[in-house]
Amino acid sequence: MISLERLCRKNIWDLAPYSSARNEYAGREARVFLDANENPYNQPFNRYPDPLQLELKAALAKVKGVPAENIFLGNGSDEAIDLPYRCFCNPGKDNVVAIEPTYGMYKVCADINDVEYRPVLLDDHYQFTADRLLAATDAHTKLIWLCTPNNPTGNCLKHEEVVKVIEQFEGLVIVDEAYSDFSSQPTFRSVLSKYPNLIVLNTMSKAWGCAAIRLGMAFASQEIIGLFNKVKYPYNVNLLTQQQAIEALKDPYEVDNWVKILLQERTRMVDAFEMLPICTKVYPTDANFFLAKMTDAPKIYNYLVDQGIIVRNRHRVQLCNNCLRITIGTKTENSELIAALRKF
C-alpha cells in the first residue's frame, strides 16, 4: 500500500479541522453549557449532538465486532461514499475503478467531485477477475469500488478475487457490504486489521429496517477514520438518528428474525417468478432482492405502476437488458405482486 499521506490530497492532509464546542471538553463532566450559543430551553433538542457519536459507536462495536475507533458514522452511506473522493481524489487528476453494473452513487459522487470513473464490465455470471480490474488502474487510481452482494445483480462477488484486489492494489479498496446480513458469505469487516488499505461500508437501512433515520457506516483503520472525521461536517449525525439507532441495536435478535423471514420469502418469490411465462431467468442472489429477466421489462414495469405496485426497472443498465429488480416485501405484498404478474 502507498502511504496514506501520499494517497491523501495535500490540502486535506494539512487541514486544520473545525473544532466544535462539544469536542473541546470531550471526556470531562459538565453541568453548565454556555459555550455553543444554544437556546437553554426545549431540552434535549436544544443541544448539539455528540459530534463523534461515541455511545452509538460503542453499541455498534459490540454488534459488528469492530473496535469503536475503527468506525465512522455518516448521514446514510452516501456520506461514507462521498468522503473517500473528498479525502483522496484530486479533482480533474485522479481516477477510480469500479465494477459495472453496480450501485449508481459511486459514479454520481465521482462526477460531483470531478474524478474520472472507470467501469469494468462484469461477465455473463455477474462476476469479475482481479486481473481485469487491476488492468484498468494506473498511477492516478486512488480507489477501487466493490459491492458484495452487488446491487443490482444481487450476487456476492468471488471472495478470492476481492482478496486479490485488496492485496495487489496500492491504493484504497472500498467494499460495500450493505446487503451482507442477507448473505452467508464472511464479511470483510472481520479481516479489517489485516488490510490497512481496506474500507468496508455498511448501513442501518437494509436488514435493520432503519432507512428513514439515514445512518451509514464505514469501517477502516484509525488513520482513515481520522481523515473522515477531519473532513465531515461537525454534527453530521443528528440526535434523533443516534437515539433511534441505539434503541434498534438493543434487539439484534429481532433483526435476525426479520432476515430469516425475508430469506424464506425470497425463496418463495424466486420459485414463483421462475414459473411465470413472462420471466425468462432469475439470477442467483445473496441479498434481500433479486434480478429477473423478463420478456418486456419496460412494458411490465409500466403495467405494475398502473396496478400501484412499484419495482425497479433496470432495463437501461448495462448487462441488465429487460431486467426488473424485485425487493422482497411482506408476504402480502409479495403475493400481490405475483398475482398481478399472473394476470399480465
Side-chain angles (χ1 to χ4, degrees):
M1 176 185 170
I2 297 173
S3 72
L4 206 60
E5 183 175 358
R6 281 182 60 197
L7 282 173
C8 189
R9 291 170 57 187
K10 187 178 186 308
N11 66 305
I12 298 299
W13 189 264
D14 296 338
L15 177 70
Y18 175 80
S19 179
S20 71
R22 294 297 176 263
N23 276 18
E24 291 173 0
Y25 74 84
R28 284 173 284 182
E29 292 293 327
R31 294 180 296 102
V32 179
F33 299 95
L34 303 175
D35 58 322
N37 301 337
E38 300 155 324
N39 188 323
Y41 305 110
N42 195 37
Q43 293 187 13
F45 307 114
N46 61 323
R47 301 298 181 189
Y48 287 108
D50 177 3
L52 293 177
Q53 311 95 31
L54 296 179
E55 183 182 358
L56 174 52
K57 285 178 181 176
L60 273 168
K62 295 177 182 178
V63 173
K64 299 293 184 179
V66 177
E69 57 267 26
N70 296 104
I71 302 174
F72 168 82
L73 299 180
N75 185 354
S77 289
D78 295 341
E79 184 176 8
I81 291 168
D82 185 53
L83 277 174
Y85 287 102
R86 295 169 64 194
C87 290
F88 300 107
C89 297
N90 291 287
K93 178 181 176 182
D94 292 327
N95 66 75
V96 304
V97 170
I99 56 173
E100 179 73 19
T102 195
Y103 183 44
M105 276 304 295
Y106 311 145
K107 185 178 188 307
V108 169
C109 286
D111 292 343
I112 290 170
N113 287 281
D114 191 21
V115 174
E116 181 190 357
Y117 185 86
R118 298 181 175 182
V120 177
L121 276 180
L122 298 174
D123 63 24
D124 292 340
H125 301 287
Y126 295 142
Q127 288 293 345
F128 80 107
T129 65
D131 291 342
R132 283 193 64 227
L133 207 64
L134 292 167
T137 67
D138 62 20
H140 292 289
T141 307
K142 293 293 187 69
L143 312 173
I144 290 180
W145 292 95
L146 297 170
C147 184
T148 181
N150 190 28
N151 177 14
T153 62
N155 62 302
C156 280
L157 302 176
K158 290 181 179 177
H159 189 87
E160 62 274 16
E161 294 298 314
V162 177
V163 170
K164 190 174 178 181
V165 170
I166 297 169
E167 292 180 343
Q168 294 190 15
F169 182 53
E170 293 186 331
L172 299 174
V173 179
I174 305 172
V175 179
D176 190 342
E177 295 186 333
Y179 301 96
S180 61
D181 292 292
F182 302 101
S183 170
S184 59
Q185 296 292 316
T187 63
F188 277 92
R189 71 173 181 270
S190 62
V191 293
L192 198 66
S193 60
K194 188 177 177 181
Y195 301 112
N197 65 328
L198 175 62
I199 300 172
V200 179
L201 305 186
N202 210 198
T203 178
M204 293 290 286
S205 295
K206 309 304 178 183
W208 288 84
C210 289
I213 72 172
R214 308 309 301 130
L215 184 68
M217 58 201 82
F219 308 108
S221 68
Q222 289 186 51
E223 292 76 16
I224 292 173
I225 297 300
L227 287 170
F228 285 2
N229 286 333
K230 213 182 194 187
V231 175
K232 77 174 184 71
Y233 294 118
Y235 304 107
N236 62 323
V237 181
N238 69 69
L239 175 65
L240 297 177
T241 291
Q242 293 186 45
Q243 289 177 335
Q244 183 56 41
I246 289 169
E247 192 62 30
L249 289 165
K250 290 178 181 177
D251 194 3
Y253 300 107
E254 183 176 26
V255 177
D256 291 342
N257 188 50
W258 290 342
V259 170
K260 182 180 178 181
I261 293 169
L262 289 171
L263 292 180
Q264 291 172 345
E265 277 297 292
R266 186 181 75 186
T267 298
R268 183 175 78 92
M269 289 291 286
V270 167
D271 291 343
F273 260 72
E274 288 177 338
M275 295 178 66
L276 291 171
I278 57 173
C279 178
T280 61
K281 182 174 183 177
V282 177
Y283 292 92
T285 180
D286 299 287
N288 67 327
F289 63 87
F290 61 90
L291 196 66
K293 194 172 187 67
M294 313 301 284
T295 53
D296 190 337
K299 187 175 181 180
I300 295 168
Y301 172 80
N302 289 330
Y303 161 75
L304 289 173
V305 170
D306 290 340
Q307 303 299 310
I309 300 171
I310 310 300
V311 297
R312 198 79 154 102
N313 184 4
R314 300 285 75 188
H315 174 63
R316 296 187 183 277
V317 174
Q318 283 191 285
L319 302 183
C320 297
N321 181 56
N322 266 327
C323 285
L324 298 178
R325 193 191 70 193
I326 312 297
T327 302
I328 305 302
T330 64
K331 187 171 184 177
T332 300
E333 290 170 332
N334 299 334
S335 296
E336 189 172 347
L337 170 60
I338 293 298
L341 291 174
R342 285 170 179 162
K343 295 176 183 176
F344 178 79

